[in-house]
Amino acid sequence: MKVLVATQKPFSAAAVKGIKDIIEAAGHEFALIEKYEGQAQLIEAVADAQALIIRSDKVTAEVIAAAPALKIVVRAGAGFDNVDLSAASAKGIVVMNTPGQNSNAVAELAVAMMIYMARTQFTPATGSEISGKRVGIQAFGNVGRLVGAKAKALGMDLLALDPFLTPEQIKAGGAEPVFSVEELYSRSDYVSVHIPALPSTIKSIGYDLITKMPKGATLVNTARKEVIDEEGLERALEDRPDLKYITDVAPDNYEALREKFGLRIFATPKKMGAQTAEANMNAGLAAARQIVDYFATGNTRFQVNK
Ligand code: 3PG
């Protein structure tokens, strides 16, 4: 079988070698395209691939139509909003993710972002400390729980909202459960966002929610830019000069927002939450192993389009 790794944002060289070794040791063929410019290159490369490993690369209906031999797509990472699941399902293609494999990297970035904003983006202006402050964790999954553990170790109090967990499960993770998004935002000095981009969550964080945050609060988004209503965010930052926003990755109108709000806003130019040597290795190798296992045994444990 031909396994194509297609990553606009490449894995580390060590992770690529690890993936190649796993694929070839199982008797499959390894192919790689990195830093490709546009969809045309991906469409050309998938023509004879049976398996595909991607990161945030967009696997659209067009890509799937161009890949008649494709049997499995593994998103080396957590969020699979970049894959057209119905187009894949219609062709009987299995889509998987590698949950948890890059979570620590994202959680470390979320905590770093809180400190970066608390310390006025590392300028000499007087900042504040995160110890003793309260962080509200919006979705207490793999990343959210790790953010909680790290924040607690730094002296923060934790609130968490997760509709898929019981209050007991949230308490077991060291956080106080809250039962509405309004309560989470109104009680949190920092809100750390970890919800996926779904039709129900896209643009769900807007003016009303952001302006519920207490004086001096910071919104930290290491999830997806799509979950923020950017127009609402802008109005909230205008009306509440005490609020701050930090995000991985930049909103569409970032340059204008940065000009308007200065050190109250910061955005990474390219999504970097999972961009560590460790996360590349964990997620990349897990993806390769899942493909080898799927071809060998039919294991679909991490399938997301069942
Ligand atoms: C994820 O969903 O796993 C993260 O957003 C990481 O995305 P990336 O692989 O593009 O860095």
Side-chain angles (χ1 to χ4, degrees):
M1 302 284 181
K2 179 168 174 177
V3 182
L4 173 69
V5 176
T7 49
Q8 257 178 337
K9 182 175 55 187
F11 290 119
S12 67
V16 172
K17 184 181 178 313
I19 295 169
K20 184 171 186 283
D21 289 350
I22 290 169
I23 301 297
E24 290 180 346
H28 302 300
E29 186 190 340
F30 171 84
L32 176 69
I33 56 164
E34 290 182 324
K35 295 184 186 172
Y36 58 92
E37 295 292 319
Q39 287 297 93
Q41 212 179 325
L42 176 59
I43 284 168
E44 196 187 320
V46 291
D48 58 350
Q50 273 89 22
L52 181 59
I53 296 177
I54 49 156
R55 297 185 63 177
S56 290
D57 306 80
K58 290 189 173 28
V59 178
T60 58
E62 207 186 353
V63 172
I64 285 166
L70 197 59
K71 293 182 169 41
I72 177 168
V73 176
V74 181
R75 194 283 190 238
F80 44 87
D81 47 309
N82 49 323
V83 181
D84 187 329
L85 292 189
S86 32
S89 300
K91 287 273 176 71
I93 297 167
V94 169
V95 181
M96 297 184 187
N97 65 352
T98 64
Q101 298 291 349
N102 59 18
S103 303
N104 189 64
V106 180
E108 285 191 9
L109 183 70
V111 173
M113 284 182 150
M114 288 184 223
I115 295 174
Y116 188 59
M117 291 309 263
R119 303 305 287 264
T120 62
Q121 300 192 25
F122 296 167
T123 63
T126 300
S128 57
E129 298 176 21
I130 62 168
S131 180
K133 306 296 189 305
R134 188 184 286 139
V135 56
I137 302 172
Q138 190 175 5
F140 209 44
N142 289 322
V143 180
R145 280 197 298 271
L146 284 166
V147 169
K150 294 172 199 309
K152 199 166 204 141
L154 291 167
M156 299 184 88
D157 295 324
L158 315 183
L159 301 180
L161 174 73
D162 194 312
F164 299 103
L165 298 178
T166 63
E168 288 66 36
Q169 286 171 316
I170 290 179
K171 280 184 207 154
E176 177 191 336
V178 296
F179 301 96
S180 74
V181 76
E182 289 77 14
E183 184 186 356
L184 188 81
Y185 276 69
S186 63
R187 292 182 56 201
S188 300
D189 302 304
Y190 293 84
V191 169
S192 193
V193 180
H194 304 291
I195 53 175
L198 301 168
S200 57
T201 62
I202 287 172
K203 291 193 180 198
S204 63
I205 301 168
Y207 182 87
D208 289 349
L209 219 41
I210 296 168
T211 52
K212 287 215 162 31
M213 295 179 85
K215 192 164 167 38
T218 300
L219 179 61
V220 180
N221 179 14
T222 53
R224 288 290 180 271
K225 81 184 185 55
E226 289 80 3
V227 301
I228 304 291
D229 168 12
E230 291 181 7
E231 186 268 331
L233 168 75
E234 184 169 356
R235 276 197 297 127
L237 292 175
E238 266 165 14
D239 287 5
R240 287 279 308 275
D242 57 304
L243 295 180
K244 298 179 200 143
Y245 180 59
I246 184 161
T247 181
D248 179 34
V249 63
D252 291 335
N253 57 346
Y254 180 51
E255 289 314 316
L257 293 178
R258 178 80 187 184
E259 209 159 289
K260 215 161 161 181
F261 302 118
L263 293 177
R264 295 170 52 213
I265 188 164
F266 178 84
T268 56
K270 196 168 239 186
K271 186 147 62 95
M272 56 163 286
Q275 197 63 327
T276 65
E278 295 86 346
N280 281 186
M281 199 62 112
N282 292 341
L285 269 50
R289 289 193 187 106
Q290 285 171 215
I291 286 173
V292 167
D293 196 25
Y294 175 69
F295 285 138
T297 70
N299 185 348
T300 55
R301 177 166 169 217
F302 296 108
Q303 185 173 357
V304 294
N305 63 336
K306 267 182 184 158

